[in-house]
């Protein structure tokens, strides 16, 4: 019976699996370990987690890991490392979020100390900012040297005296635990703290993988923190239902995924600097319905880049006049534009004295010992102990990247160490010396067992209507290197969730308001012009990729057909020639077989009209509006990219290439079905649909001009029916083979055929009519006027009168309509001086 039980449980008992997991787990000498105590026993608060793991067989554990990893992959959780940027394709350089499957478990009693310390520090830094941008008493009294403030590039003089100039709404502290078991503040984050979204994704991934343990261990939820943060931002608005915008640097930013994710999760408007405009002392969002007032801006750009008029004139990320709007109190910016000044390492050496002066308290969480080299005594201390210290820039480098990284002076070569000594002696104000802290370690599952790795913990605090609220968790960064010194944590490559256990069952919290406070609405809100632009082009790129795939499939289908129809060779030449004219395959003097041209049109990224290039552009466009797309949509993009990557070292046969094109078309059909059935029929969906209809109408005109001239063969007309997916409709109406006029009527003028030009024009008419107008003067705007002309031409034209010239006219009118839509609704053609201030609310 015992043997049977062990077989069913995976061949090992729980005791044996526990022993295997712990085999070889040895804490580093002189380092606190989160998992094992000094005697080598598992700490009590880890026992429930370990027991839950040991209850799972290796295969079950692997399945749980797969659930977490699939969540990360399907959600598209990603980040960038500074320098990993390709502006042509935001997908290049994106790294999957490196999730560790073992959470950091912290008991409730210990977390209370951490939360109290982070709350105290957030309040302290908030008061310090009030003093720096207000009366300046700390500098006047000599407690804080003036150079520690004014020497920082994050001190913004134009914000001095501005209401809320340096105010905090979100604070993050990077913590490390020293060998004595005490938590230390390694760095303060007040500029534009990142990581809350990643912390939430870590939580969702591991809660999905281990839901039973998550419930049984009474893990504190995160939703209440985000609820409080959102309420805190609302509190700073003068309107009951404010318009809150998250100002992002754009899709090239290292944490753009998180910014888009948080905008969607919290219901904020994701905007870039170009989406905003200053008028009459207020900041407005450019939308398809005109300018709309922005009440609160949660910035994720550095403060000095926020206003090229009064701050950094080189900035293309901010809004000219934002400082003036803040100065007038017409917009609230979180965090305040000058808040980054208190991130400076130079201030850390003065924090204990500042705490006693401003709060009358000692720091609950002391920061890492720091000596600012701008003072003679402290500079000499650093020089005397240089070999045992970490040396770092006193202030943020405007160059960013590795310029801000600390270095271990003792590990430098003698020549480099002397060079560093010379720099400190000559420019001491630019450097700090810091004590090297040996970080605690936590378990990581690797090679089938648990291993200790150094970690740091990032904890967040939000200012809410009820005061500061600390996120019960956060996220930890875990180093792959065994060196547990804090200076090396910049090489950390993993992240994991933080589970704060409770002695009582945890209340369920939701971001949804209570039923009696819900304001019913059926429109998702304001659509910025930039988002409309990208949705429009997303639809066009997807439809363009579909047209290329249909050309490839039609060409290959004729090449592998064992029973060719009369005129087949001419049709093959026409299809191959159109791929070249389409930009999907290379032309010129190089001789290529039709099969080679089809292969290039499927895979080539060098030819702008290829299927792979169109899908790449679609994904690039979608990445800019990812807050408006579902997880299912991203999964389809991932599937398409995998399908359109040729297998290494082997060129598929004609038949295999045909199948690949066919599968890719099915994936595009899935996206089309998803958008038609799952997207709310708001302005965003309308622009996506307008883009699809526009591109489909233009492509159908081009197909008709190529394959339906007056001398078209039956096979050419069949190709046109294939390309417009109209074979079944035609065969159900006509018993005879393809004939010119019936085919032209079906693909050009039939309003009942969803692939015809007439059908696309009718849909464009309906969608454009539903879009907002800037004025109520009764006059038609250009897009509406042009689409009505197109619709009238379609309804009054007869198939017998269609020729290449008249079809070309339809095509040109559609392209003209595209330009009119861009001029009216999108940013690239907007003139800030002539923007009409209508519908401002």
């Amino acid at each position: 019976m015992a043997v049977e039980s062990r077989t069913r449980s995976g061949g090992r008992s729980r005791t044996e699996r526990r022993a295997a997991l712990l085999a070889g787990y040895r804490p580093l000498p002189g380092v606190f370990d989160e998992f094992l105590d000094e005697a080598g026993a598992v700490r009590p608060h880890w026992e429930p987690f370990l027991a839950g793991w040991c209850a799972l067989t290796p295969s079950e554990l692997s399945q749980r890991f797969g659930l977490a990893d699939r969540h990360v992959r399907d959600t598209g959780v990603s980040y960038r490392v500074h320098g990993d940027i390709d502006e042509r394709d935001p997908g290049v350089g994106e790294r999957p979020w490196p999730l560790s499957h073992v959470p950091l478990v912290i008991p409730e009693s210990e977390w209370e100390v951490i939360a109290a310390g982070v709350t105290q520090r957030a309040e302290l830094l908030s008061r310090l900012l009030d003093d720096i941008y207000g009366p300046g008493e700390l500098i006047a009294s000599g407690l804080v040297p003036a150079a520690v403030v004014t020497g920082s590039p994050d001190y913004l003089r134009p914000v001095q005296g501005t209401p809320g100039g340096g105010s905090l709404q979100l604070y993050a502290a990077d913590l490390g635990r020293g060998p004595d078991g005490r938590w230390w503040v390694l760095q303060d984050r007040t500029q534009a703290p990142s990581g809350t979204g990643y912390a939430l994704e870590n939580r969702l991934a591991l809660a999905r993988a281990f839901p039973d343990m998550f419930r049984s261990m009474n893990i504190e939820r995160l939703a209440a923190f985000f609820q409080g943060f959102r309420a805190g931002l609302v509190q700073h608005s003068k309107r009951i239902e404010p318009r809150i915008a998250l100002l992002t640097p754009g899709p090239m930013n290292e944490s753009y995924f998180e910014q888009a994710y948080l905008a969607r999760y919290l219901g904020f408007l994701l905007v870039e600097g170009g989406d905003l405009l200053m008028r009459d002392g207020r900041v407005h969002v450019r939308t398809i319905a005109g300018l709309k007032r922005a009440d609160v801006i949660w910035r994720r750009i550095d403060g000095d880049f926020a206003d090229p008029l009064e701050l950094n004139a080189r900035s293309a990320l901010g809004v000219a006049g934002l400082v003036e709007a803040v100065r007038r109190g017409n917009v609230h910016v979180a965090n305040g534009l000058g808040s980054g000044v208190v991130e400076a390492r130079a201030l850390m050496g003065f924090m204990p004295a500042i705490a006693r002066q401003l709060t009358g308290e000692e720091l609950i969480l002391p920061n890492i010992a720091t000596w600012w080299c701008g003072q003679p005594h402290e500079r000499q201390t650093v020089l005397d102990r240089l070999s045992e210290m970490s040396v770092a820039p006193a202030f943020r480098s405007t160059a960013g990247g590795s310029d801000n990284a600390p270095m271990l002076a003792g590990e430098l070569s003698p020549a480099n160490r002397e060079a560093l000594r010379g720099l400190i002696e000559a420019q001491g104000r630019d450097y700090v010396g810091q004590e090297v802290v040996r970080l605690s370690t936590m378990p990581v599952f690797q090679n089938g067992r648990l291993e200790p790795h150094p970690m740091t913990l990032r904890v967040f605090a939000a200012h809410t209507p009820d005061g500061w609220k600390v996120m019960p968790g956060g996220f930890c960064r875990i180093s792959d290197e065994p060196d547990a010194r804090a200076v090396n944590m910049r090489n950390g490559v993993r992240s994991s969730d933080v589970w704060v256990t409770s002695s009582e069952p945890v209340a369920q919290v939701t971001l949804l308001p209570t039923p009696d406070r819900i304001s019913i609405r059926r429109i998702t809100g304001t659509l910025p012009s930039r988002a409309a632009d990208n949705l429009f082009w997303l639809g066009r790129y997807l439809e363009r990729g579909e047209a290329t795939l249909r050309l490839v499939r039609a060409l290959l289908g004729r090449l592998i057909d064992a029973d060719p129809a009369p005129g087949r060779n001419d049709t093959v030449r026409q299809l191959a020639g159109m791929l070249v004219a389409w930009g999907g395959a290379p032309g010129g003097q190089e001789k290529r077989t039709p099969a080679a041209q089809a292969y290039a049109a499927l895979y080539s990224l060098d030819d702008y009209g290829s299927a792979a290039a169109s899908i790449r552009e679609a994904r690039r466009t979608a990445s800019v509006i990812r807050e408006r797309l579902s997880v299912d949509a991203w999964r389809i993009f991932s599937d398409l990219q995998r399908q359109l990557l040729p297998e290494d070292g082997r060129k598929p046969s004609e038949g295999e290439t045909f199948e690949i094109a066919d599968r890719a078309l099915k994936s595009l059909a899935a996206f089309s079905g998803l958008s038609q059935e799952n997207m709310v029929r708001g302005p965003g969906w309308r622009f996506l649909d307008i883009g699809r209809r526009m591109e489909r109408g233009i492509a159908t005109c081009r197909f008709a001009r190529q394959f339906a001239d007056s001398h078209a063969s039956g096979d050419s007309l069949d190709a046109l029916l294939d390309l417009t997916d109209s074979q079944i409709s035609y065969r159900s109406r006509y018993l005879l083979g393809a004939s010119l006029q019936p085919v032209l009527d079906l693909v050009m003028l039939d309003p009942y055929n969803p692939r015809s030009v007439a059908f696309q024009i009718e849909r464009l008419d309906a969608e454009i009519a539903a879009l907002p107008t800037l004025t109520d003067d009764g006059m038609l705007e250009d897009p509406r006027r042009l689409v009505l002309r197109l619709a009238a031409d379609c309804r009054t034209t007869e198939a017998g009168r269609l020729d290449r010239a008249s079809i070309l006219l339809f095509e040109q009118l559609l392209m003209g309509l595209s330009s009119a839509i861009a001029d009216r609704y999108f940013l690239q053609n907007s003139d800030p001086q002539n923007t009409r201030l209508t519908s401002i609310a």
Side-chain angles (χ1 to χ4, degrees):
M1 186 68 179
V3 173
E4 181 183 3
S5 173
R6 288 178 57 166
T7 300
R8 287 177 177 174
S9 63
R12 287 183 175 183
S13 66
R14 295 188 183 189
T15 302
E16 289 171 328
R17 287 200 289 272
R18 179 187 176 103
L21 280 172
L22 298 179
Y25 191 98
R26 300 289 183 272
L28 302 179
V31 169
F32 187 94
D33 187 75
E34 302 290 335
F35 184 57
L36 299 184
D37 61 20
E38 294 77 5
V42 176
R43 298 186 187 274
H45 58 277
W46 277 92
E47 281 291 355
F49 179 82
L50 185 60
W53 264 48
C54 293
L56 301 172
T57 66
S59 62
E60 289 172 333
L61 202 57
S62 179
Q63 290 174 355
R64 301 295 184 94
F65 293 165
L67 283 172
D69 293 339
R70 278 195 299 276
H71 173 83
V72 171
R73 183 181 66 248
D74 292 344
T75 311
V77 187
S78 60
Y79 74 110
R80 293 181 189 275
V81 173
H82 187 77
D84 284 1
I85 292 177
D86 185 343
E87 293 187 0
R88 297 170 301 173
D89 184 3
V92 174
E94 278 191 347
R95 303 187 182 187
W97 185 245
L99 176 69
S100 176
H101 299 120
V102 182
L104 174 64
V105 182
I106 299 180
E108 182 180 33
S109 57
E110 186 174 354
W111 185 256
E112 289 175 352
V113 177
I114 293 174
V118 171
T119 298
Q120 180 198 50
R121 200 168 184 94
E123 179 62 26
L124 174 62
L125 291 175
S126 181
R127 294 188 187 184
L128 176 57
L129 283 168
D130 289 343
D131 181 76
I132 288 174
Y133 288 102
E137 295 175 356
L138 293 175
I139 293 177
S141 67
L143 186 64
V144 176
V148 170
V149 174
T150 60
S152 171
D154 293 313
Y155 171 69
L156 306 182
R157 187 175 298 277
V159 183
Q160 186 72 41
T162 299
S167 61
L168 284 183
Q169 273 72 50
L170 184 65
Y171 164 72
D174 287 334
L175 308 180
R177 197 200 292 262
D180 60 355
R182 192 175 185 188
W183 291 97
W184 295 77
V185 176
L186 305 177
Q187 194 156 4
D188 298 299
R189 303 289 182 182
T190 58
Q191 175 76 269
S194 64
T196 53
Y198 289 122
L200 186 57
E201 279 295 342
N202 285 347
R203 171 60 53 87
L204 294 174
L206 289 192
R208 174 175 294 188
F210 305 109
D212 42 359
M213 283 189 282
F214 190 77
R215 288 189 296 268
S216 64
M217 293 175 65
N218 295 329
I219 308 302
E220 295 282 356
R221 272 38 173 197
L222 304 183
F225 170 83
F226 290 98
Q227 187 180 58
F229 174 60
R230 187 169 65 182
L233 294 182
V234 171
Q235 186 183 40
H236 285 281
S237 171
K238 299 176 181 178
R239 297 197 292 177
I240 297 176
E241 292 191 8
R243 185 171 291 110
I244 302 177
L246 192 160
L247 177 58
T248 172
M252 294 296 110
N253 185 255
E254 290 91 337
S255 59
Y256 181 75
F257 164 82
E258 179 196 38
Q259 296 158 26
Y261 176 77
L262 287 171
R264 181 173 62 231
Y265 180 69
L266 294 170
F268 297 165
L269 208 58
L270 187 67
V271 299
E272 297 179 28
D275 295 322
L276 302 176
L277 179 69
M278 174 77 167
R279 276 296 172 82
D280 298 331
R282 300 183 184 276
V283 178
H284 300 91
V285 183
R286 303 176 195 255
T287 80
I288 62 170
L291 299 181
K292 300 289 185 179
R293 195 172 94 198
D295 302 286
V296 178
I297 296 176
W298 177 18
R299 67 176 178 90
R300 291 296 296 267
I301 64 175
D302 289 346
D304 61 323
F305 279 84
D307 186 346
L309 189 62
E310 294 200 49
L311 302 174
N312 189 335
R314 297 173 300 169
S315 172
L317 303 177
V319 188
L322 181 60
V323 171
E324 178 62 22
V326 172
R327 192 177 289 130
R328 295 189 188 187
N330 289 334
V331 67
H332 179 78
V333 178
N335 286 340
L337 294 177
S339 59
V341 67
V342 295
E343 279 191 1
R345 292 186 180 94
L347 266 174
M348 297 186 80
F350 301 94
M351 290 305 293
I354 293 172
R356 288 189 289 269
Q357 176 70 23
L358 294 182
T359 67
E361 302 172 346
E362 297 295 327
L363 292 172
I364 300 173
L365 296 177
N367 49 250
I368 185 172
T370 303
W371 293 265
W372 178 51
C373 296
Q375 297 173 295
H377 180 267
E378 284 72 13
R379 179 170 61 251
Q380 193 58 48
T381 299
V382 172
L383 293 173
D384 292 342
R385 299 174 53 193
L386 190 60
S387 298
E388 59 191 73
M389 279 200 178
S390 164
V391 177
F395 309 105
R396 175 182 66 87
S397 168
T398 55
S402 60
D403 292 344
N404 288 320
M407 64 186 81
L408 287 173
E411 294 187 351
L412 298 176
S413 66
N416 288 337
R417 192 181 311 130
E418 286 308 306
L420 177 61
R421 181 184 295 275
L423 287 172
I424 293 174
E425 289 174 343
Q427 303 174 20
R429 63 186 178 277
D430 293 334
Y431 295 93
V432 296
Q434 292 185 308
E435 186 177 281
V436 178
V437 174
R438 296 182 64 82
L439 300 171
S440 64
T441 54
M442 67 168 285
V444 169
F445 187 76
Q446 193 163 296
N447 302 319
R449 63 184 186 180
L450 297 176
E451 299 178 359
H453 284 254
M455 52 77 63
T456 61
L457 171 64
R458 179 167 291 187
V459 183
F460 302 91
H463 196 268
T464 76
D466 300 320
W468 287 99
K469 186 177 186 65
V470 175
M471 177 192 290
F475 75 91
C476 53
R477 294 179 296 160
I478 307 168
S479 175
D480 266 353
E481 301 294 329
D483 191 340
R485 290 172 291 187
V487 69
N488 286 333
M489 277 311 297
R490 67 180 184 274
N491 297 322
V493 295
R494 304 191 198 192
S495 172
S496 192
D497 192 15
V498 179
W499 287 9
V500 178
T501 61
S502 174
S503 57
E504 302 291 336
V506 177
Q508 299 291 326
V509 179
T510 176
L511 281 183
L512 295 175
T514 56
D516 59 337
R517 297 182 61 188
I518 295 177
S519 298
I520 296 176
R521 61 178 62 187
R522 293 175 179 173
I523 300 298
T524 53
T526 304
L527 182 67
S529 296
R530 178 184 56 85
D533 189 355
N534 284 292
L535 285 163
F536 173 79
W537 278 102
L538 174 60
R540 292 198 67 170
Y541 283 130
L542 290 172
E543 195 67 30
R544 190 171 296 176
E546 179 179 336
T548 302
L549 288 168
R550 290 188 180 278
L551 279 168
V552 169
R553 190 174 66 171
L555 174 57
L556 292 173
R558 281 158 176 75
L559 289 176
I560 62 180
D561 191 348
D563 184 21
R568 177 60 49 88
N569 290 336
D570 291 338
T571 306
V572 166
R573 282 194 295 270
Q574 284 180 301
L575 288 165
M578 192 161 195
L579 282 175
V580 173
W582 198 268
Q589 300 300 318
E590 185 179 359
K591 295 293 185 181
R592 285 176 178 259
T593 65
Q597 288 173 320
Y599 181 84
L602 191 64
Y603 292 124
S604 174
L605 290 174
D606 296 325
D607 296 290
Y608 66 88
S610 73
S614 293
I615 297 305
R616 180 185 64 180
E617 288 301 302
R619 188 187 185 282
R620 179 190 62 79
T621 305
S623 69
V624 182
I625 47 170
R626 64 191 309 161
E627 82 280 6
R628 296 180 180 274
L629 300 175
S630 68
V631 172
D632 290 333
W634 277 104
R635 187 181 294 119
I636 291 172
F637 281 125
S638 299
D639 290 344
L640 279 167
Q641 286 195 307
R642 283 193 295 269
Q643 292 165 10
L644 296 178
L645 287 174
E647 296 183 12
D648 293 337
R650 189 181 72 84
K651 187 173 181 178
S653 67
E654 294 172 6
E656 290 173 317
T657 307
F658 178 92
E659 292 296 327
I660 292 168
D662 195 57
R663 286 198 299 271
L665 280 169
K666 291 176 182 176
S667 295
L668 284 172
F671 184 91
S672 178
L674 188 69
S675 64
Q676 292 297 316
E677 297 297 329
N678 288 29
M679 286 186 70
V680 174
R681 297 301 196 264
W685 176 85
R686 295 192 189 285
F687 277 98
L688 178 66
D689 197 53
I690 287 171
R692 290 178 60 244
R693 304 296 177 185
M694 187 79 65
E695 191 68 30
R696 183 178 295 179
I698 292 171
T700 301
C701 287
R702 291 176 179 173
F703 292 152
R705 284 196 294 117
Q706 180 71 28
F707 297 101
D709 63 13
S710 58
H711 303 293
S713 66
D715 192 63
S716 291
L717 294 175
D718 269 336
L720 177 56
L721 292 172
D722 287 339
L723 293 171
T724 57
D725 200 17
S726 300
Q727 282 282 10
I728 294 177
S729 298
Y730 187 86
R731 301 303 172 196
S732 67
R733 296 182 187 180
Y734 307 102
L735 298 178
L736 299 176
S739 183
L740 180 59
Q741 289 192 21
V743 169
L744 276 177
D745 183 77
L746 180 63
V747 302
M748 288 294 299
L749 305 176
D750 187 349
Y752 304 107
N753 177 14
R755 309 294 303 195
S756 75
V757 173
F759 187 90
Q760 313 317 313
I761 291 173
E762 287 204 355
R763 293 307 309 154
L764 287 169
D765 184 15
E767 304 300 1
I768 292 172
L771 293 176
T773 57
L774 285 178
T775 60
D776 295 324
D777 57 8
M779 300 296 293
L780 293 177
E781 294 183 330
D782 283 348
R784 179 80 170 126
R785 179 175 51 79
L786 286 172
V787 78
L788 285 174
R789 176 186 171 183
L790 271 165
D793 288 348
C794 262
R795 291 168 187 160
T796 57
T797 299
E798 297 176 2
R801 296 182 179 275
L802 281 175
D803 55 17
R804 282 189 172 183
S806 56
I807 295 172
L808 178 61
L809 180 59
F810 275 113
E811 183 181 332
Q812 291 171 336
L813 287 172
L814 281 168
M815 290 190 290
L817 175 59
S818 176
S819 298
I821 289 173
D823 289 340
R824 162 60 182 87
Y825 293 106
F826 305 153
L827 289 181
Q828 68 268 27
N829 294 313
S830 62
D831 181 356
Q833 299 303 318
N834 294 325
T835 304
R836 285 175 280 181
L837 289 174
T838 57
S839 304
I840 294 180

